[in-house]
Amino acid sequence: MKHKDHRYIQPQNTEEAMLLIQKLFNKYRNAPLTNELLEYHNNLIYRLQSDIKEAAIKENKPGQLKSLSNMTEIMRNWTTTRLNGKPFNGKMRHFKLVTDGGFKFERNIHKINQTTNHRGSRH
């Protein structure tokens, strides 16, 4: 076989295909919005609704169909959020949206030369 025949990944079932699309979505979710990215994203949504949905119906897994519709809804919400110029804070995990809760502020705790477990604050 030629090199071009090995270029694309062929998933064996719907779950594998959905995991692959989830992984791709998480890679580009914070990328700057361009026409190429929007076309690519819409193509993935189309694949979810056509090929992968038909395969899930053939496999007769209702849980998979529910995850598929949830995943499609998240990806459509991403499109509207990014087209409105807002950041999309969250990522897809187990075909569900997981928000990271925004910014985290870290606090440094110092034990200042004490033998107890009480923590002192440096002023």
Side-chain angles (χ1 to χ4, degrees):
M1 289 187 148
K2 295 180 182 177
H3 177 69
K4 288 189 175 189
D5 294 336
H6 293 290
R7 184 174 167 196
Y8 299 107
I9 298 172
Q10 295 293 326
Q12 302 299 320
N13 55 18
T14 57
E15 187 175 356
E16 213 174 283
M18 288 170 61
L19 284 171
L20 181 65
I21 290 177
Q22 175 179 285
K23 181 179 167 187
L24 291 170
F25 174 77
N26 284 334
K27 280 187 180 179
Y28 71 77
R29 66 189 163 90
N30 292 328
L33 192 63
T34 60
N35 286 335
E36 292 82 16
L37 179 62
L38 199 57
E39 284 179 24
Y40 181 75
H41 180 74
N42 287 335
N43 185 21
L44 289 179
I45 292 174
Y46 174 73
R47 291 285 176 211
L48 283 173
Q49 287 300 300
S50 60
D51 305 341
I52 299 173
K53 189 174 185 178
E54 289 173 9
I57 291 171
K58 286 180 185 176
E59 289 179 7
N60 197 16
K61 293 183 179 177
Q64 201 81 27
L65 286 171
K66 186 178 178 186
S67 297
L68 185 66
S69 64
N70 190 25
M71 189 173 175
T72 307
E73 188 63 31
I74 292 169
M75 291 178 79
R76 285 192 178 140
N77 288 341
W78 179 87
T79 305
T80 56
T81 304
R82 291 304 303 267
L83 285 175
N84 289 333
K86 297 178 183 175
F88 186 80
N89 56 348
K91 66 179 184 178
M92 205 179 309
R93 188 161 186 233
H94 302 293
F95 315 121
K96 295 178 184 173
L97 182 65
V98 177
T99 56
D100 53 1
F103 296 104
K104 290 185 178 178
F105 295 100
E106 293 185 6
R107 218 175 70 194
N108 283 337
I109 298 173
H110 300 281
K111 289 185 179 178
I112 303 175
N113 298 331
Q114 295 178 354
T115 57
T116 62
N117 285 333
H118 300 294
R119 288 171 168 80
S121 62
R122 286 216 157 142
H123 298 289

